[in-house]
Amino acid sequence: QLQVQESGPGLVKPSETLSLTCTVSGGSIDTNNYYWTWVRQPPGKGLEWIGSISYSGRTYYNPSLRSRVTQSAHTSTNQFSLNLRSVTAADTAVYYCARHVDTAMVDALDLWGQGTMVTVSS
Amino acid sequence: QSVLAQPPSASGTPGQRVTISCSGSSSNIGGNTVNWYQQLPGTAPKLLICRNKQRPSGVPDRFSGSKSGTSASLAISGLQSEDEADYYCAAWDDSLNAWLFGGGTKLTVL
């Protein structure tokens, strides 16, 4: 059964780079129709799509974050990663990695990690 | 303020039917399919409805989705206490080239 799991530091200093990794187990990221996605949720607030990447490296980013975001896919380790530069307190959130399936029947985030809390503070 | 507008709260009693609306525009809901996610307290979101009305395996048929024009709705019939959660709609926006989430609706079972 395929699972995804986030990992990374829980505390990042303002102006530094937030770096998270999502490990995919029980299946390969090297699959057509899958886009590997990051979503975040500030405390007490709603969901915000950060961006998605295919196994081949094609990326889609939230326009509001595009200037600060880089996503990468690592087929050799079956992981994908998120880098968010120049963070501020407004980037404090639970960060989820997820699988986006795009087929005739499903075009949605059908598998989510448990989420990891990242706090931006000095 | 989210581009996809949802009521911040909804409520119902056990056994009742409740609906949650999601309003957008021609660039998102009007031209693309809508997904609904359920987020139980303290947990990750879970896909509830995809492509407007399709239920993934394991989702009870008490949950149903519909779309008309630039609006979509999630209906929950036979409301149960375990349905108490936050519900989010989502759709791709062709103008922004981005996935959008609604602001979320907190459902309370009275």
Side-chain angles (χ1 to χ4, degrees), chain B residues 22 43 60 102:
Chain B
C22 176
T43 69

Side-chain angles (χ1 to χ4, degrees), chain B residues 70-92:
Chain B
T70 59
S71 294
S73 292
L74 171 71
I76 308 171
S77 60
L79 197 62
Q80 299 179 3
S81 58
E82 55 261 40
D83 298 332
E84 193 160 280
D86 294 324
Y87 292 85
Y88 294 90
C89 60
W92 177 259

Side-chain angles (χ1 to χ4, degrees), chain A residues 6 19 22-23 26 29 32 46 49 51 59 80-81 89 92-93 99 103 106 109 111 120:
Chain A
E6 309 86 354
S19 296
C22 184
T23 299
I29 69 168
N32 285 332
W49 175 76
T59 54
F80 60 102
S81 60
T92 294
R99 182 181 71 178
T103 67
V106 182
L109 298 165
L111 180 69
V120 178

Side-chain angles (χ1 to χ4, degrees), chain B residues 9-89:
Chain B
S9 63
S11 63
T13 57
Q16 199 173 22
R17 182 178 188 270
V18 298
T19 61
I20 297 171
S21 62
C22 176
S23 179
S25 68
S26 58
S27 63
N28 42 69
I29 293 178
N32 297 294
T33 59
V34 177
N35 304 319
W36 290 91
Y37 298 91
Q38 177 193 57
Q39 187 175 31
L40 297 170
T43 69
K46 167 193 167 185
L47 180 62
L48 201 61
I49 297 287
C50 58
R51 292 208 180 274
N52 302 326
K53 60 182 181 180
Q54 304 298 327
R55 280 187 309 276
S57 175
V59 175
D61 60 7
R62 303 186 296 105
F63 296 91
S64 62
S66 63
K67 189 186 98 166
S68 179
T70 59
S71 294
S73 292
L74 171 71
I76 308 171
S77 60
L79 197 62
Q80 299 179 3
S81 58
E82 55 261 40
D83 298 332
E84 193 160 280
D86 294 324
Y87 292 85
Y88 294 90
C89 60

